[in-house]
Amino acid sequence: MRRMQLRWPGSRRREQGALLLAALEAADRGWPVVPGARAVRGVFGPCSCGEQRCPLAGAHPHDPPLAAATTDGRMVQWWWEHRAPGAPVLVATGRSVCGVSLPAAAGERVLRYFADVGVPVGPVLAVPARHVLLVAPFTLEELGGLLAERPWVPGSLRYHGPGGYVLLPPSQTGAGGVHWVSPPVGDGLWLPQVGTLLEGLIAASVAEPDGSRLAY
C-alpha cells in the first residue's frame, strides 16, 4: 500500500502531462479544444460539475464552456497546467472537424467493411461502448439533406457537428477511458466526407441496439 501511495503522484503527473500533450497536438492540427468536467470518486462524485446524478461524468463541457474552445497553444497550456490539470480533452466539432459515432460492435463491423471494399477512413476513436469516426466539417443543412435521401436512419447513429464535441485520448470518463482505434497520421491530416461513409454506417447500425447511456 505504501508503494502505491508513493508512486501515485508520479503517475498522476504523467497522466496530466499526456492530456496536456494531447490537447496541444489537437490545437496544432487546428482542432479547437477545451477542458471537460472530470470524473470524481467518493462523496464529491461522480463529476466535477457538481451534479450528483450526472449521467455523463467526466464526459461533457462545464467550465470553461464549449464555446471557449480554442487552438491557441498558450491558452491550452495554461488550462491544462493551471486551471484544469488532468481534465478530459474535448474537441468542439463543426469548425475544423466533425464526427459520427455508433455502438462499438457496429463500429468494428463497419471498419472491417470499409477496409474490405477500399473506402478510406480518417482517425477513429473508441469511447466507452461506442466508436467515433472523425470526418470533415459539415453543416446541419448538409447533414439534413443527406439523411433526407435515406428512407430510414437508425437512432443509434449520432452526429457530432456544429455545437457538438468529441473526447480525445487519453481522457478518462466515469464510464471508462478513450483511446485511438486509428490515430491521426502525419502533419497533413485528411478527413473523409460524411456522405462517403453514411451508407456503410447505416448498414452496420441497422441491427445494432444502442446500449450506451452516454450522449457522445
Side-chain angles (χ1 to χ4, degrees), residues 82-127:
H82 302 288
R83 180 165 180 172
V89 181
L90 270 60
V91 174
T93 52
R95 284 186 267 172
S96 53
V97 62
C98 286
V100 182
S101 69
L102 66 171
E108 294 172 1
R109 187 158 56 243
V110 79
L111 291 177
R112 290 194 298 268
Y113 167 75
F114 287 147
D116 288 344
V117 300
V119 174
V121 298
V124 180
L125 296 156
V127 302

mmCIF file of all heavy atoms in Angstrom, residues 82-127:
data_model
loop_
_atom_site.group_PDB
_atom_site.id
_atom_site.type_symbol
_atom_site.label_atom_id
_atom_site.label_comp_id
_atom_site.label_asym_id
_atom_site.label_seq_id
_atom_site.Cartn_x
_atom_site.Cartn_y
_atom_site.Cartn_z
ATOM 1 N N HIS A 82 -2.647 24.804 -15.218
ATOM 2 C CA HIS A 82 -3.007 25.589 -14.042
ATOM 3 C C HIS A 82 -4.487 25.515 -13.667
ATOM 4 O O HIS A 82 -4.819 25.391 -12.491
ATOM 5 C CB HIS A 82 -2.614 27.063 -14.255
ATOM 6 C CG HIS A 82 -1.162 27.253 -14.527
ATOM 7 N ND1 HIS A 82 -0.193 27.104 -13.550
ATOM 8 C CD2 HIS A 82 -0.495 27.558 -15.672
ATOM 9 C CE1 HIS A 82 1.005 27.314 -14.075
ATOM 10 N NE2 HIS A 82 0.851 27.588 -15.363
ATOM 11 N N ARG A 83 -5.368 25.626 -14.639
ATOM 12 C CA ARG A 83 -6.794 25.670 -14.310
ATOM 13 C C ARG A 83 -7.425 24.300 -14.162
ATOM 14 O O ARG A 83 -8.245 24.086 -13.272
ATOM 15 C CB ARG A 83 -7.555 26.465 -15.370
ATOM 16 C CG ARG A 83 -9.053 26.543 -15.088
ATOM 17 C CD ARG A 83 -9.740 27.588 -15.908
ATOM 18 N NE ARG A 83 -11.166 27.637 -15.628
ATOM 19 C CZ ARG A 83 -11.978 28.576 -16.096
ATOM 20 N NH1 ARG A 83 -11.510 29.544 -16.851
ATOM 21 N NH2 ARG A 83 -13.265 28.556 -15.802
ATOM 22 N N ALA A 84 -7.075 23.380 -15.047
ATOM 23 C CA ALA A 84 -7.753 22.080 -15.052
ATOM 24 C C ALA A 84 -6.788 20.946 -15.366
ATOM 25 O O ALA A 84 -7.012 20.185 -16.309
ATOM 26 C CB ALA A 84 -8.903 22.099 -16.056
ATOM 27 N N PRO A 85 -5.704 20.791 -14.577
ATOM 28 C CA PRO A 85 -4.790 19.670 -14.849
ATOM 29 C C PRO A 85 -5.514 18.342 -14.692
ATOM 30 O O PRO A 85 -6.275 18.139 -13.744
ATOM 31 C CB PRO A 85 -3.696 19.852 -13.791
ATOM 32 C CG PRO A 85 -4.295 20.716 -12.736
ATOM 33 C CD PRO A 85 -5.287 21.596 -13.420
ATOM 34 N N GLY A 86 -5.292 17.457 -15.647
ATOM 35 C CA GLY A 86 -5.933 16.148 -15.601
ATOM 36 C C GLY A 86 -7.322 16.108 -16.207
ATOM 37 O O GLY A 86 -7.963 15.050 -16.192
ATOM 38 N N ALA A 87 -7.792 17.234 -16.752
ATOM 39 C CA ALA A 87 -9.145 17.258 -17.316
ATOM 40 C C ALA A 87 -9.190 16.526 -18.653
ATOM 41 O O ALA A 87 -8.214 16.494 -19.403
ATOM 42 C CB ALA A 87 -9.602 18.705 -17.509
ATOM 43 N N PRO A 88 -10.340 15.929 -18.990
ATOM 44 C CA PRO A 88 -10.502 15.340 -20.314
ATOM 45 C C PRO A 88 -10.313 16.382 -21.409
ATOM 46 O O PRO A 88 -10.550 17.574 -21.186
ATOM 47 C CB PRO A 88 -11.949 14.822 -20.296
ATOM 48 C CG PRO A 88 -12.295 14.675 -18.856
ATOM 49 C CD PRO A 88 -11.535 15.752 -18.148
ATOM 50 N N VAL A 89 -9.907 15.925 -22.580
ATOM 51 C CA VAL A 89 -9.709 16.816 -23.728
ATOM 52 C C VAL A 89 -10.948 16.736 -24.613
ATOM 53 O O VAL A 89 -11.233 15.682 -25.186
ATOM 54 C CB VAL A 89 -8.452 16.423 -24.530
ATOM 55 C CG1 VAL A 89 -8.257 17.371 -25.703
ATOM 56 C CG2 VAL A 89 -7.223 16.421 -23.629
ATOM 57 N N LEU A 90 -11.665 17.850 -24.712
ATOM 58 C CA LEU A 90 -12.850 17.927 -25.564
ATOM 59 C C LEU A 90 -12.529 18.750 -26.800
ATOM 60 O O LEU A 90 -11.945 19.832 -26.706
ATOM 61 C CB LEU A 90 -14.015 18.586 -24.824
ATOM 62 C CG LEU A 90 -14.959 17.684 -24.022
ATOM 63 C CD1 LEU A 90 -14.193 16.940 -22.926
ATOM 64 C CD2 LEU A 90 -16.076 18.514 -23.404
ATOM 65 N N VAL A 91 -12.891 18.237 -27.968
ATOM 66 C CA VAL A 91 -12.760 18.973 -29.227
ATOM 67 C C VAL A 91 -14.141 19.468 -29.630
ATOM 68 O O VAL A 91 -15.082 18.672 -29.749
ATOM 69 C CB VAL A 91 -12.184 18.081 -30.343
ATOM 70 C CG1 VAL A 91 -12.201 18.818 -31.679
ATOM 71 C CG2 VAL A 91 -10.775 17.650 -30.010
ATOM 72 N N ALA A 92 -14.271 20.777 -29.828
ATOM 73 C CA ALA A 92 -15.526 21.340 -30.320
ATOM 74 C C ALA A 92 -15.651 21.024 -31.799
ATOM 75 O O ALA A 92 -14.774 21.359 -32.596
ATOM 76 C CB ALA A 92 -15.558 22.845 -30.091
ATOM 77 N N THR A 93 -16.713 20.350 -32.187
ATOM 78 C CA THR A 93 -16.900 19.948 -33.577
ATOM 79 C C THR A 93 -17.674 21.013 -34.354
ATOM 80 O O THR A 93 -18.413 21.807 -33.784
ATOM 81 C CB THR A 93 -17.642 18.610 -33.658
ATOM 82 O OG1 THR A 93 -18.848 18.671 -32.886
ATOM 83 C CG2 THR A 93 -16.776 17.487 -33.117
ATOM 84 N N GLY A 94 -17.445 20.996 -35.663
ATOM 85 C CA GLY A 94 -18.166 21.908 -36.539
ATOM 86 C C GLY A 94 -17.269 22.817 -37.342
ATOM 87 O O GLY A 94 -17.523 23.079 -38.508
ATOM 88 N N ARG A 95 -16.188 23.314 -36.732
ATOM 89 C CA ARG A 95 -15.318 24.276 -37.412
ATOM 90 C C ARG A 95 -14.276 23.610 -38.292
ATOM 91 O O ARG A 95 -14.108 23.962 -39.450
ATOM 92 C CB ARG A 95 -14.627 25.171 -36.378
ATOM 93 C CG ARG A 95 -15.520 26.239 -35.794
ATOM 94 C CD ARG A 95 -14.728 27.163 -34.885
ATOM 95 N NE ARG A 95 -14.775 26.725 -33.495
ATOM 96 C CZ ARG A 95 -14.051 27.268 -32.524
ATOM 97 N NH1 ARG A 95 -13.205 28.237 -32.781
ATOM 98 N NH2 ARG A 95 -14.158 26.835 -31.285
ATOM 99 N N SER A 96 -13.561 22.646 -37.732
ATOM 100 C CA SER A 96 -12.471 22.029 -38.487
ATOM 101 C C SER A 96 -12.529 20.510 -38.479
ATOM 102 O O SER A 96 -11.762 19.859 -39.196
ATOM 103 C CB SER A 96 -11.115 22.487 -37.932
ATOM 104 O OG SER A 96 -11.049 22.254 -36.534
ATOM 105 N N VAL A 97 -13.404 19.948 -37.678
ATOM 106 C CA VAL A 97 -13.555 18.501 -37.617
ATOM 107 C C VAL A 97 -14.962 18.205 -37.115
ATOM 108 O O VAL A 97 -15.530 18.964 -36.329
ATOM 109 C CB VAL A 97 -12.490 17.872 -36.683
ATOM 110 C CG1 VAL A 97 -12.635 18.384 -35.259
ATOM 111 C CG2 VAL A 97 -12.543 16.351 -36.718
ATOM 112 N N CYS A 98 -15.540 17.122 -37.611
ATOM 113 C CA CYS A 98 -16.824 16.638 -37.130
ATOM 114 C C CYS A 98 -16.680 15.141 -36.862
ATOM 115 O O CYS A 98 -15.597 14.577 -37.014
ATOM 116 C CB CYS A 98 -17.933 16.908 -38.137
ATOM 117 S SG CYS A 98 -18.451 18.646 -38.245
ATOM 118 N N GLY A 99 -17.758 14.503 -36.453
ATOM 119 C CA GLY A 99 -17.687 13.078 -36.172
ATOM 120 C C GLY A 99 -19.035 12.407 -36.320
ATOM 121 O O GLY A 99 -20.081 13.055 -36.312
ATOM 122 N N VAL A 100 -18.990 11.101 -36.479
ATOM 123 C CA VAL A 100 -20.182 10.254 -36.456
ATOM 124 C C VAL A 100 -19.852 9.093 -35.534
ATOM 125 O O VAL A 100 -18.800 8.470 -35.670
ATOM 126 C CB VAL A 100 -20.565 9.730 -37.849
ATOM 127 C CG1 VAL A 100 -21.838 8.897 -37.763
ATOM 128 C CG2 VAL A 100 -20.734 10.863 -38.840
ATOM 129 N N SER A 101 -20.757 8.801 -34.578
ATOM 130 C CA SER A 101 -20.498 7.695 -33.654
ATOM 131 C C SER A 101 -21.601 6.659 -33.740
ATOM 132 O O SER A 101 -22.742 6.956 -34.109
ATOM 133 C CB SER A 101 -20.355 8.219 -32.220
ATOM 134 O OG SER A 101 -21.577 8.699 -31.712
ATOM 135 N N LEU A 102 -21.231 5.429 -33.378
ATOM 136 C CA LEU A 102 -22.154 4.299 -33.432
ATOM 137 C C LEU A 102 -21.708 3.285 -32.396
ATOM 138 O O LEU A 102 -20.570 3.331 -31.910
ATOM 139 C CB LEU A 102 -22.203 3.694 -34.835
ATOM 140 C CG LEU A 102 -20.969 2.993 -35.415
ATOM 141 C CD1 LEU A 102 -21.357 2.292 -36.718
ATOM 142 C CD2 LEU A 102 -19.808 3.933 -35.683
ATOM 143 N N PRO A 103 -22.596 2.363 -31.993
ATOM 144 C CA PRO A 103 -22.210 1.362 -30.996
ATOM 145 C C PRO A 103 -20.947 0.613 -31.399
ATOM 146 O O PRO A 103 -20.679 0.390 -32.583
ATOM 147 C CB PRO A 103 -23.432 0.438 -30.944
ATOM 148 C CG PRO A 103 -24.573 1.326 -31.327
ATOM 149 C CD PRO A 103 -24.014 2.250 -32.374
ATOM 150 N N ALA A 104 -20.166 0.206 -30.396
ATOM 151 C CA ALA A 104 -18.839 -0.352 -30.648
ATOM 152 C C ALA A 104 -18.866 -1.559 -31.579
ATOM 153 O O ALA A 104 -18.029 -1.675 -32.481
ATOM 154 C CB ALA A 104 -18.179 -0.720 -29.321
ATOM 155 N N ALA A 105 -19.812 -2.467 -31.385
ATOM 156 C CA ALA A 105 -19.866 -3.654 -32.245
ATOM 157 C C ALA A 105 -20.119 -3.270 -33.693
ATOM 158 O O ALA A 105 -19.507 -3.816 -34.624
ATOM 159 C CB ALA A 105 -20.948 -4.624 -31.751
ATOM 160 N N ALA A 106 -21.013 -2.305 -33.901
ATOM 161 C CA ALA A 106 -21.277 -1.829 -35.259
ATOM 162 C C ALA A 106 -20.057 -1.106 -35.812
ATOM 163 O O ALA A 106 -19.757 -1.193 -37.013
ATOM 164 C CB ALA A 106 -22.496 -0.910 -35.264
ATOM 165 N N GLY A 107 -19.344 -0.379 -34.959
ATOM 166 C CA GLY A 107 -18.148 0.313 -35.404
ATOM 167 C C GLY A 107 -17.074 -0.643 -35.885
ATOM 168 O O GLY A 107 -16.446 -0.427 -36.928
ATOM 169 N N GLU A 108 -16.858 -1.722 -35.131
ATOM 170 C CA GLU A 108 -15.874 -2.722 -35.559
ATOM 171 C C GLU A 108 -16.286 -3.349 -36.881
ATOM 172 O O GLU A 108 -15.446 -3.586 -37.770
ATOM 173 C CB GLU A 108 -15.729 -3.789 -34.474
ATOM 174 C CG GLU A 108 -15.125 -3.255 -33.178
ATOM 175 C CD GLU A 108 -15.181 -4.268 -32.067
ATOM 176 O OE1 GLU A 108 -15.673 -5.392 -32.314
ATOM 177 O OE2 GLU A 108 -14.736 -3.941 -30.947
ATOM 178 N N ARG A 109 -17.584 -3.605 -37.035
ATOM 179 C CA ARG A 109 -18.093 -4.224 -38.263
ATOM 180 C C ARG A 109 -17.897 -3.306 -39.463
ATOM 181 O O ARG A 109 -17.459 -3.735 -40.538
ATOM 182 C CB ARG A 109 -19.577 -4.566 -38.067
ATOM 183 C CG ARG A 109 -20.195 -5.364 -39.196
ATOM 184 C CD ARG A 109 -21.426 -6.100 -38.729
ATOM 185 N NE ARG A 109 -22.429 -5.215 -38.142
ATOM 186 C CZ ARG A 109 -22.825 -5.284 -36.872
ATOM 187 N NH1 ARG A 109 -22.291 -6.167 -36.039
ATOM 188 N NH2 ARG A 109 -23.759 -4.469 -36.420
ATOM 189 N N VAL A 110 -18.215 -2.033 -39.299
ATOM 190 C CA VAL A 110 -18.135 -1.134 -40.441
ATOM 191 C C VAL A 110 -16.682 -0.842 -40.814
ATOM 192 O O VAL A 110 -16.369 -0.644 -41.992
ATOM 193 C CB VAL A 110 -18.919 0.166 -40.181
ATOM 194 C CG1 VAL A 110 -18.142 1.138 -39.300
ATOM 195 C CG2 VAL A 110 -19.293 0.846 -41.499
ATOM 196 N N LEU A 111 -15.773 -0.845 -39.858
ATOM 197 C CA LEU A 111 -14.368 -0.640 -40.193
ATOM 198 C C LEU A 111 -13.824 -1.809 -41.014
ATOM 199 O O LEU A 111 -13.030 -1.611 -41.944
ATOM 200 C CB LEU A 111 -13.540 -0.434 -38.922
ATOM 201 C CG LEU A 111 -13.785 0.878 -38.175
ATOM 202 C CD1 LEU A 111 -12.947 0.927 -36.897
ATOM 203 C CD2 LEU A 111 -13.478 2.089 -39.057
ATOM 204 N N ARG A 112 -14.253 -3.034 -40.680
ATOM 205 C CA ARG A 112 -13.850 -4.191 -41.497
ATOM 206 C C ARG A 112 -14.421 -4.073 -42.901
ATOM 207 O O ARG A 112 -13.736 -4.360 -43.896
ATOM 208 C CB ARG A 112 -14.310 -5.494 -40.834
ATOM 209 C CG ARG A 112 -13.570 -5.847 -39.559
ATOM 210 C CD ARG A 112 -13.834 -7.285 -39.145
ATOM 211 N NE ARG A 112 -15.243 -7.522 -38.848
ATOM 212 C CZ ARG A 112 -15.776 -7.410 -37.629
ATOM 213 N NH1 ARG A 112 -15.008 -7.037 -36.613
ATOM 214 N NH2 ARG A 112 -17.055 -7.657 -37.438
ATOM 215 N N TYR A 113 -15.679 -3.634 -42.993
ATOM 216 C CA TYR A 113 -16.315 -3.476 -44.299
ATOM 217 C C TYR A 113 -15.586 -2.427 -45.135
ATOM 218 O O TYR A 113 -15.269 -2.669 -46.317
ATOM 219 C CB TYR A 113 -17.778 -3.088 -44.108
ATOM 220 C CG TYR A 113 -18.439 -2.596 -45.381
ATOM 221 C CD1 TYR A 113 -18.814 -3.486 -46.387
ATOM 222 C CD2 TYR A 113 -18.679 -1.233 -45.566
ATOM 223 C CE1 TYR A 113 -19.407 -3.025 -47.553
ATOM 224 C CE2 TYR A 113 -19.280 -0.773 -46.731
ATOM 225 C CZ TYR A 113 -19.641 -1.669 -47.715
ATOM 226 O OH TYR A 113 -20.229 -1.213 -48.865
ATOM 227 N N PHE A 114 -15.303 -1.268 -44.554
ATOM 228 C CA PHE A 114 -14.602 -0.217 -45.300
ATOM 229 C C PHE A 114 -13.226 -0.698 -45.761
ATOM 230 O O PHE A 114 -12.792 -0.381 -46.879
ATOM 231 C CB PHE A 114 -14.458 1.040 -44.443
ATOM 232 C CG PHE A 114 -15.732 1.818 -44.256
ATOM 233 C CD1 PHE A 114 -15.982 2.504 -43.077
ATOM 234 C CD2 PHE A 114 -16.689 1.880 -45.262
ATOM 235 C CE1 PHE A 114 -17.149 3.238 -42.905
ATOM 236 C CE2 PHE A 114 -17.864 2.603 -45.106
ATOM 237 C CZ PHE A 114 -18.096 3.288 -43.918
ATOM 238 N N ALA A 115 -12.536 -1.455 -44.918
ATOM 239 C CA ALA A 115 -11.225 -1.978 -45.307
ATOM 240 C C ALA A 115 -11.359 -2.970 -46.464
ATOM 241 O O ALA A 115 -10.549 -2.961 -47.405
ATOM 242 C CB ALA A 115 -10.554 -2.638 -44.105
ATOM 243 N N ASP A 116 -12.383 -3.811 -46.431
ATOM 244 C CA ASP A 116 -12.572 -4.819 -47.481
ATOM 245 C C ASP A 116 -12.885 -4.189 -48.839
ATOM 246 O O ASP A 116 -12.424 -4.676 -49.883
ATOM 247 C CB ASP A 116 -13.699 -5.779 -47.095
ATOM 248 C CG ASP A 116 -13.308 -6.718 -45.969
ATOM 249 O OD1 ASP A 116 -12.098 -6.849 -45.695
ATOM 250 O OD2 ASP A 116 -14.220 -7.309 -45.346
ATOM 251 N N VAL A 117 -13.681 -3.127 -48.837
ATOM 252 C CA VAL A 117 -14.097 -2.515 -50.108
ATOM 253 C C VAL A 117 -13.200 -1.346 -50.514
ATOM 254 O O VAL A 117 -13.409 -0.738 -51.561
ATOM 255 C CB VAL A 117 -15.567 -2.069 -50.047
ATOM 256 C CG1 VAL A 117 -16.481 -3.244 -49.786
ATOM 257 C CG2 VAL A 117 -15.784 -0.969 -49.004
ATOM 258 N N GLY A 118 -12.212 -1.026 -49.677
ATOM 259 C CA GLY A 118 -11.259 0.010 -50.044
ATOM 260 C C GLY A 118 -11.757 1.425 -49.845
ATOM 261 O O GLY A 118 -11.287 2.339 -50.540
ATOM 262 N N VAL A 119 -12.689 1.641 -48.922
ATOM 263 C CA VAL A 119 -13.145 3.000 -48.608
ATOM 264 C C VAL A 119 -12.235 3.566 -47.523
ATOM 265 O O VAL A 119 -12.172 3.006 -46.422
ATOM 266 C CB VAL A 119 -14.608 3.006 -48.137
ATOM 267 C CG1 VAL A 119 -15.012 4.403 -47.664
ATOM 268 C CG2 VAL A 119 -15.531 2.535 -49.246
ATOM 269 N N PRO A 120 -11.503 4.637 -47.802
ATOM 270 C CA PRO A 120 -10.594 5.182 -46.783
ATOM 271 C C PRO A 120 -11.359 5.893 -45.670
ATOM 272 O O PRO A 120 -12.370 6.552 -45.912
ATOM 273 C CB PRO A 120 -9.729 6.168 -47.574
ATOM 274 C CG PRO A 120 -10.577 6.572 -48.736
ATOM 275 C CD PRO A 120 -11.436 5.389 -49.072
ATOM 276 N N VAL A 121 -10.894 5.707 -44.448
ATOM 277 C CA VAL A 121 -11.453 6.412 -43.305
ATOM 278 C C VAL A 121 -10.342 7.221 -42.652
ATOM 279 O O VAL A 121 -9.156 6.963 -42.865
ATOM 280 C CB VAL A 121 -12.079 5.439 -42.285
ATOM 281 C CG1 VAL A 121 -13.237 4.674 -42.901
ATOM 282 C CG2 VAL A 121 -11.042 4.475 -41.739
ATOM 283 N N GLY A 122 -10.733 8.195 -41.878
ATOM 284 C CA GLY A 122 -9.776 9.008 -41.141
ATOM 285 C C GLY A 122 -9.538 8.447 -39.751
ATOM 286 O O GLY A 122 -9.726 7.244 -39.513
ATOM 287 N N PRO A 123 -9.169 9.291 -38.803
ATOM 288 C CA PRO A 123 -8.958 8.832 -37.429
ATOM 289 C C PRO A 123 -10.250 8.279 -36.828
ATOM 290 O O PRO A 123 -11.346 8.764 -37.100
ATOM 291 C CB PRO A 123 -8.515 10.109 -36.696
ATOM 292 C CG PRO A 123 -8.002 11.014 -37.772
ATOM 293 C CD PRO A 123 -8.833 10.715 -38.973
ATOM 294 N N VAL A 124 -10.089 7.251 -36.006
ATOM 295 C CA VAL A 124 -11.240 6.610 -35.348
ATOM 296 C C VAL A 124 -10.931 6.497 -33.860
ATOM 297 O O VAL A 124 -9.848 6.065 -33.460
ATOM 298 C CB VAL A 124 -11.519 5.217 -35.933
ATOM 299 C CG1 VAL A 124 -12.719 4.580 -35.235
ATOM 300 C CG2 VAL A 124 -11.746 5.293 -37.442
ATOM 301 N N LEU A 125 -11.915 6.874 -33.049
ATOM 302 C CA LEU A 125 -11.801 6.830 -31.592
ATOM 303 C C LEU A 125 -12.681 5.734 -31.017
ATOM 304 O O LEU A 125 -13.739 5.427 -31.579
ATOM 305 C CB LEU A 125 -12.274 8.151 -30.980
ATOM 306 C CG LEU A 125 -11.502 9.413 -31.293
ATOM 307 C CD1 LEU A 125 -12.404 10.625 -31.116
ATOM 308 C CD2 LEU A 125 -10.299 9.514 -30.373
ATOM 309 N N ALA A 126 -12.274 5.186 -29.895
ATOM 310 C CA ALA A 126 -13.134 4.318 -29.107
ATOM 311 C C ALA A 126 -13.405 5.001 -27.780
ATOM 312 O O ALA A 126 -12.477 5.282 -27.015
ATOM 313 C CB ALA A 126 -12.485 2.962 -28.878
ATOM 314 N N VAL A 127 -14.672 5.334 -27.537
ATOM 315 C CA VAL A 127 -15.116 5.833 -26.243
ATOM 316 C C VAL A 127 -15.923 4.715 -25.605
ATOM 317 O O VAL A 127 -16.239 3.728 -26.272
ATOM 318 C CB VAL A 127 -15.957 7.124 -26.398
ATOM 319 C CG1 VAL A 127 -15.149 8.203 -27.102
ATOM 320 C CG2 VAL A 127 -17.246 6.866 -27.172
#
